[in-house]
């Protein structure tokens, strides 16, 4: 049974200032003591995710270290000035690395080719976890989980990360001073270091309210750096933005699709989800909402993509049907099927919205 009863002592060195403070507050002890009596009864059920939460100074990290001695305490990696994919262990293949990054919701190939130091805090958290899961064979304790990221980003990131951990059948303990991630991380158990209480959880994360509005061409600048191919955008496309709590988090645009056989057909021209909001299905849900309006008007919607995260997600979706398996197509500009695209050089798949 994970439990521990222990005392942490810190010896107080003698100095002029120390003696002045002792005298001022009538404190004559030579050590500072803190007693712990921790019981985390998790031996009778299977679990993947635990959360140790409490205010700064409540002893969260000490509890994690003492109670879970066989776990790997993660306090950070050394990152070089090379690309993040080059910092992963040398025995890992590029496919292993990019697959792991995709699964934690970090699905931005251009950002994979940057050094760790220039990534956003949300991207850093996901890159660290992807590397940690691949390189560490032990169960993991992640100290200061989400401590340095924006709280909305922390919640979205927690939702994406918990899916990855469960899929990989790993055991992971988050140590955090933030209670706001609990519903999003969906831990199997929680130990509250403030209240000194353990409880099991069976939570469902809150529904994410996404608002969709029409966009202006000028707003493409908010998203173009995150597109995995290039920053170009056809002015003639119909443009939409998805917002969460007033923040623009995703872009979708739709363009006429000239096709020798299909009539009244359009295609998704650009679909971009900002990196901090990837991994929880916003892109697929956004595209489906947009496509549904076109379908109601009698228009067919197709998508050609080489992004592994979209191929994986849409293949599992009831709203989209794969009409061409991943393959390479020659540019058929004369027939109009791929006119204006660069899909001929890449492995792509085609999907049609079925609703």
């Amino acid at each position: 049974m994970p439990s521990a009863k222990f005392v942490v002592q810190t010896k107080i060195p003698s100095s002029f200032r120390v003696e002045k403070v002792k005298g001022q507050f009538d404190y004559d002890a030579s050590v500072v003591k803190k007693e712990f009596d921790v019981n985390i009864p998790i031996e009778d059920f299977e679990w993947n995710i635990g959360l140790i939460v409490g205010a700064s100074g409540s002893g969260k990290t000490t509890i994690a270290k003492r109670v879970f001695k066989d776990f790997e305490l993660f306090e950070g990696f050394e990152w070089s000035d090379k690309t993040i994919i080059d910092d992963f262990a040398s025995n890992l293949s590029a496919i292993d690395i990019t697959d792991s990054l995709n699964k934690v919701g970090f699905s931005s190939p251009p950002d994979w080719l940057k050094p760790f130091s220039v990534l956003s805090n949300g991207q850093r958290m996901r890159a660290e976890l992807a590397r940690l899961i691949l390189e560490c064979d032990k169960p993991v304790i992640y100290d200061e989980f989400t401590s340095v990221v924006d709280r909305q980003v922390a919640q979205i990131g927690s939702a994406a990360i918990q899916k990855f951990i469960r899929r990989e059948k790993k055991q992971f303990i988050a140590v955090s001073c933030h209670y706001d991630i609990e519903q999003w991380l969906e831990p199997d158990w929680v130990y509250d270091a403030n209240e000194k209480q353990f409880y099991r959880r069976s939570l469902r994360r809150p529904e994410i309210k996404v608002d969709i509005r029409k966009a202006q061409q000028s707003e493409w600048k908010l998203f173009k750096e995150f597109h995995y191919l290039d920053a170009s955008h056809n002015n003639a496309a119909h443009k939409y933005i998805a917002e969460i709590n007033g923040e623009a988090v995703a872009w979708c645009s739709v363009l006429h699709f000239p096709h020798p056989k299909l009539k009244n057909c359009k295609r998704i021209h650009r679909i971009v989800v900002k990196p901090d909001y990837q991994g929880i299905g916003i892109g697929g849900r956004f595209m489906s909402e947009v496509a549904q309006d076109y379908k109601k008007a009698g228009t067919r919607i197709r998508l050609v993509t080489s992004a592994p995260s979209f191929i994986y997600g849409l293949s599992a979706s009831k709203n989209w049907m794969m009409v061409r398996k991943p393959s390479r197509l020659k540019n058929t500009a004369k027939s109009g099927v791929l006119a204006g695209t660069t899909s001929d050089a890449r492995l792509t798949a085609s999907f049609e919205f079925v609703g």
Side-chain angles (χ1 to χ4, degrees):
M1 176 183 296
S3 61
K5 197 170 185 178
F6 56 92
V7 177
V8 175
Q9 295 188 146
T10 303
K11 187 176 180 179
I12 304 173
S14 180
S15 72
F16 175 77
R17 290 177 179 174
V18 167
E19 297 308 319
K20 289 288 286 184
V21 170
K22 282 185 176 182
Q24 184 178 356
F25 293 95
D26 194 23
Y27 185 82
D28 61 357
S30 60
V31 296
V32 177
K33 295 182 180 180
K34 186 167 184 176
E35 297 183 356
F36 293 86
D37 187 359
V38 181
N39 182 25
I40 302 179
I42 56 176
E43 75 285 352
D44 62 340
F45 68 98
E46 293 185 3
W47 63 274
N48 295 109
I49 299 173
L51 173 63
I52 298 176
V53 65
S56 179
S58 61
K60 304 181 299 297
T61 304
T62 301
I63 291 168
K65 287 179 179 178
R66 293 293 187 98
V67 178
F68 297 94
K69 295 179 180 178
D70 295 332
F71 280 50
E72 180 78 19
L73 177 65
F74 176 70
E75 296 179 292
F77 282 115
E78 290 291 332
W79 295 87
S80 72
D81 58 358
K82 298 185 293 186
T83 70
I84 62 167
I85 59 173
D86 286 321
D87 277 328
F88 280 70
S90 59
N91 64 312
L92 298 171
S93 71
I95 292 177
D96 290 334
I97 296 167
T98 56
D99 184 52
S100 181
L101 290 167
N102 274 314
K103 286 178 179 177
V104 296
F106 186 6
S107 304
S108 303
D111 291 316
W112 300 342
L113 308 181
K114 296 177 180 178
F116 183 80
S117 60
V118 304
L119 300 180
S120 71
N121 286 332
Q123 290 174 319
R124 290 182 184 185
M125 181 178 70
R126 298 189 195 211
E128 284 184 329
L129 186 65
R131 183 175 170 185
L132 185 61
I133 296 298
L134 283 179
E135 297 184 13
C136 183
D137 294 329
K138 293 182 179 180
V140 171
I141 298 168
Y142 195 119
D143 200 14
E144 300 295 338
F145 184 70
T146 75
S147 291
V148 297
V149 297
D150 170 84
R151 300 323 303 157
Q152 181 165 285
V153 171
Q155 293 167 355
I156 298 294
S158 295
I161 286 167
Q162 66 86 15
K163 288 167 56 180
F164 174 56
I165 294 166
R166 296 184 197 281
R167 189 182 299 127
E168 296 295 310
K169 295 181 171 55
K170 299 284 186 177
Q171 285 188 321
F172 176 88
I173 298 174
V175 179
S176 179
C177 60
H178 295 287
Y179 286 81
D180 61 353
I181 62 171
E182 184 176 336
Q183 286 183 287
W184 301 82
L185 189 62
E186 302 180 60
D188 302 299
W189 59 263
V190 178
Y191 183 80
D192 188 325
N194 285 348
E195 303 294 331
K196 299 177 176 55
Q197 288 187 347
F198 166 87
Y199 44 94
R200 291 176 60 169
R201 280 299 199 198
S202 181
L203 298 174
R204 291 179 63 86
R205 71 164 170 80
E207 186 70 21
I208 300 171
K209 187 175 185 299
V210 179
D211 298 307
I212 298 174
R213 63 171 175 83
K214 290 186 177 180
Q216 301 297 319
Q217 179 71 23
S218 60
E219 293 179 287
W220 171 240
K221 66 177 181 290
L222 301 174
F223 297 91
K224 64 181 183 180
E225 67 178 291
F226 304 118
H227 194 263
Y228 69 100
L229 287 180
D230 59 60
S232 64
H233 193 281
N234 193 313
N235 289 346
H238 297 171
K239 298 164 280 285
Y240 307 89
I241 280 178
E243 296 179 330
I244 297 177
N245 295 329
E247 180 175 352
V249 301
W251 172 280
C252 181
S253 53
V254 179
L255 196 62
H256 179 63
F257 188 18
H259 196 284
K261 296 180 180 179
L262 302 180
K263 305 301 180 185
N264 200 19
C265 187
K266 296 185 183 296
R267 63 180 174 88
I268 301 296
H269 175 49
R270 294 284 185 263
I271 174 70
V272 182
V273 180
K274 288 183 178 178
D276 286 340
Y277 293 87
Q278 294 173 358
I280 56 172
I282 288 177
R285 178 178 168 185
F286 183 19
M287 284 197 303
S288 294
E289 290 290 335
V290 170
Q292 185 65 44
D293 287 340
Y294 284 91
K295 182 176 174 61
K296 287 179 180 178
T299 302
R300 300 173 74 164
I301 294 286
R302 287 203 167 189
L303 168 70
V304 178
T305 181
S306 64
S309 56
F310 271 121
I311 293 175
Y312 176 82
L314 296 182
S315 296
S317 172
K318 295 180 181 179
N319 289 324
W320 295 83
M321 177 177 65
M322 183 181 288
V323 293
R324 179 177 58 81
K325 294 181 178 180
S327 58
R328 288 183 175 83
L329 290 180
K330 293 186 179 298
N331 196 309
T332 52
K334 290 183 179 180
S335 65
V337 175
L338 291 175
T341 75
T342 57
S343 300
D344 56 310
R346 295 175 287 113
L347 192 68
T348 63
S350 297
F351 294 85
E352 181 165 341
F353 181 76
V354 293

